[in-house]
């Protein structure tokens, strides 16, 4: 591992620059900090699909930037042709990952704005400026979430987090890790326990890397040590992100979140979720949310090393659902929703 990687605080996970999309290539972390540069929306779609960029808010903004590239790529001569080219690109971008609602949210927002343009030039300008604004707003929203969440944490707390809901899962600052950052910025001393997050280790590759880089006291545990950590008094609180929250307060997040929440309930440890309103899906029912199933090779090996017999059957869901009764609060930019969630979530939108 290369300890010399230095991330400048103004660095963004995904960015629009000179009519190109620049991203941190997250599959290379923590060993190398590599940036990729795209000028074709198909490349952005591939980056979302292959987890070069991942995390619900980051893929929402990436989808929007993908449409920014699509308007530049289009050779349309009429407004209708341009909208149809955009629709085509939107469908390709949307098909990349099914669970995080932010992707569909970002694409829909851009499509709606595009339809208000009166000319090709105006549509191009509107799409690109709206996508750039979404990226800037993502950081502001994360900071507001941090401000709302920080009072829930105490001086000297050790906070467990799962997967990566940090700067690397957003444009910058993070959702769950944004709350942890804001808690420290409010003058409290906190420690963090990051779960490894098998199979593809966003916890060890990304969260541990990101927090260590920012000087946090962070310890890494295997996913199998969540029960040990909680039953031995090593954890005071938990905060995780979310890929989709439905109006009943059911939270869809990285596989293993449900286990962490269940274990937290068992030990009387508050379990918080931090997510922007763009992650809340008021339309879909919990039972209709599609859980992405990923390839077996993520489970039958670690990196290039094979750790399972040939031809073994694998079940590899990327996300699971945590029911509202296990959740102490949902931290958003508009405030903290608590049980009964159906009422408190609705209030956030008013
Ligand atoms: O498969 P990933 O890495 O995209 O999954 C990410 C997560 O599950 C995060 O916890 C979630 O998107 C919240 S990110 C702010």
């Amino acid at each position: 591992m290369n300890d010399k990687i230095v991330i400048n605080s103004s660095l963004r996970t995904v960015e629009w620059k000179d009519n190109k999309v620049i991203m941190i290539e997250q599959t290379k972390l923590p060993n190398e900090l590599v940036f990729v540069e795209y000028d074709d929306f198909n490349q952005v779609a591939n980056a979302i699909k292959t987890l070069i960029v991942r995390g619900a808010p980051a893929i929402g903004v990436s989808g929007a930037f993908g449409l920014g590239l699509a308007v530049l790529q289009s050779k349309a001569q009429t407004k209708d042709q341009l909208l149809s080219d955009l629709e085509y690109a939107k469908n390709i971008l949307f098909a990349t990952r099914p669970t995080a609602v932010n992707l569909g949210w970002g694409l829909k927002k851009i499509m709606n704005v595009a339809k208000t343009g009166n000319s090709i030039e105006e549509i191009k300008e509107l799409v690109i400026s709206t996508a750039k604004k979404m990226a800037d707003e993502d950081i502001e929203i994360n900071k507001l979430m941090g401000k709302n969440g920080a009072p829930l944490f105490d001086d000297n707390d050790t906070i467990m987090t799962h997967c990566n809901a940090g700067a690397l899962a957003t444009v910058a600052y993070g959702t769950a890790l944004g709350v942890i950052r804001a808690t420290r910025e409010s003058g409290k001393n906190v420690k963090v326990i990051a779960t490894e997050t098998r199979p593809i280790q966003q916890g060890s590759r990304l969260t541990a890397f990101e927090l260590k880089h920012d000087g946090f006291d962070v310890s890494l545990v295997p996913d199998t040590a969540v029960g040990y950590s909680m039953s031995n008094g090593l954890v005071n609180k938990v905060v995780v992100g979310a890929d989709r929250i439905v109006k009943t307060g059911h939270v869809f997040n990285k596989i293993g979140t449900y286990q962490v929440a269940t274990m937290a309930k068992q030990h009387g440890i508050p379990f918080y979720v931090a997510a922007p309103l763009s992650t809340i899906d008021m339309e879909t029912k919990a039972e209709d949310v599609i859980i992405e199933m990923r390839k077996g090779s993520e489970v039958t090996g670690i990196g290039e090393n094979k750790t399972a017999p040939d031809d073994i059957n694998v079940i590899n869901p990327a996300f699971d659902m945590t029911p509202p009764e296990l959740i102490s609060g949902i931290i958003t930019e508009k405030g903290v929703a608590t049980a009964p969630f159906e009422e408190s979530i609705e209030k956030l939108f008013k």
Side-chain angles (χ1 to χ4, degrees):
M1 156 156 183
N2 178 1
D3 270 328
K4 296 220 175 65
I5 292 174
V6 174
I7 294 189
N8 172 315
S9 58
S10 64
L11 198 79
R12 291 181 173 200
T13 297
V14 52
E15 189 161 24
W16 181 272
K17 214 173 190 176
D18 302 331
N19 286 342
K20 292 198 174 76
V21 178
I22 321 277
M23 289 177 184
I24 295 180
E25 213 294 24
Q26 299 196 35
T27 66
K28 303 255 186 266
L29 287 171
N31 298 317
E32 286 174 80
L33 180 62
V34 174
F35 290 86
V36 284
E37 199 180 274
Y38 299 134
D39 56 11
D40 183 330
F41 74 85
N42 291 291
Q43 294 170 311
V44 173
N46 183 57
I48 297 172
K49 204 174 178 64
T50 58
L51 308 187
I52 285 171
V53 63
R54 33 63 55 202
I59 63 175
V61 171
S62 299
F65 282 161
L67 291 180
L69 294 180
V71 284
L72 295 178
Q73 286 171 260
S74 172
K75 304 221 169 358
Q77 300 292 323
T78 65
K79 183 188 153 185
D80 284 349
Q81 267 172 14
L82 180 56
L83 290 177
S84 134
D85 286 351
L86 265 183
E87 185 71 26
Y88 173 79
K90 182 204 84 178
N91 290 335
I92 289 185
L93 289 157
F94 184 69
T96 52
R97 296 196 76 190
T99 306
V101 71
N102 306 58
L103 179 59
W105 170 87
L107 293 170
K108 193 170 164 193
K109 194 163 166 174
I110 298 290
M111 291 305 292
N112 286 343
V113 118
K115 286 175 195 152
T116 67
N118 292 313
S119 64
I120 291 187
E121 276 322 304
E122 196 186 345
I123 293 174
K124 288 188 178 179
E125 200 283 317
L126 277 172
V127 165
I128 294 171
S129 62
T130 307
K132 283 162 78 176
K133 196 159 162 253
M134 278 168 72
D136 292 339
E137 281 172 359
D138 179 69
I139 304 175
E140 285 163 33
I141 287 169
N142 291 341
K143 296 215 164 151
L144 282 173
M145 240 184 288
K147 220 169 160 190
N148 292 336
L152 300 168
F153 297 86
D154 295 312
D155 198 23
N156 295 321
D157 268 353
T158 298
I159 306 168
M160 178 174 274
T161 190
H162 184 63
C163 191
N164 174 265
L168 289 164
T170 60
V171 176
Y173 203 69
T175 56
L177 298 194
V179 169
I180 294 175
R181 286 192 167 92
T183 304
R184 181 167 80 167
E185 284 158 19
S186 74
K188 293 172 200 162
N189 180 31
V190 288
K191 291 184 184 168
V192 182
I193 293 184
T195 55
E196 185 188 12
T197 319
R198 275 286 285 156
I200 49 170
Q201 294 162 295
Q202 290 94 329
S204 58
R205 291 190 303 105
L206 308 176
T207 297
F209 167 74
E210 183 180 324
L211 291 178
K212 190 167 174 278
H213 176 272
D214 280 0
F216 278 90
D217 180 333
V218 53
S219 303
L220 183 63
V221 293
D223 300 316
T224 40
V226 170
Y228 171 93
S229 307
M230 291 187 180
S231 64
N232 284 282
L234 304 186
V235 181
N236 302 103
K237 282 165 196 134
V238 179
V239 64
V240 297
D243 288 83
R244 189 184 294 244
I245 300 171
V246 297
K247 66 177 180 188
T248 45
H250 291 77
V251 168
F252 294 80
N253 192 47
K254 180 51 56 193
I255 192 74
T257 303
Y258 175 44
Q259 281 169 207
V260 177
T262 305
M263 201 53 78
K265 185 78 166 180
Q266 165 79 4
H267 293 285
I269 295 170
F271 178 92
Y272 295 105
V273 177
L277 293 194
S278 55
T279 299
I280 302 181
D281 174 358
M282 296 297 273
E283 274 147 38
T284 312
K285 287 194 193 130
E287 58 268 32
D288 294 334
V289 174
I290 299 169
I291 300 281
E292 177 183 1
M293 301 302 285
R294 293 189 60 85
K295 56 185 184 208
S297 57
E298 290 179 350
V299 182
T300 55
I302 300 183
E304 298 299 302
N305 293 335
K306 204 158 86 61
T307 55
D310 288 337
D311 300 328
I312 187 78
N313 276 334
V314 175
I315 302 168
N316 185 19
F319 302 97
D320 62 21
M321 184 193 80
T322 299
E325 58 272 21
L326 301 181
I327 299 169
S328 312
I330 299 176
I331 304 162
T332 75
E333 70 272 32
K334 295 282 182 197
V336 181
T338 50
F341 284 102
E342 196 138 5
E343 269 170 38
S344 60
I345 288 177
E346 206 171 318
K347 267 195 205 140
L348 295 174
F349 284 94
K350 284 187 178 150

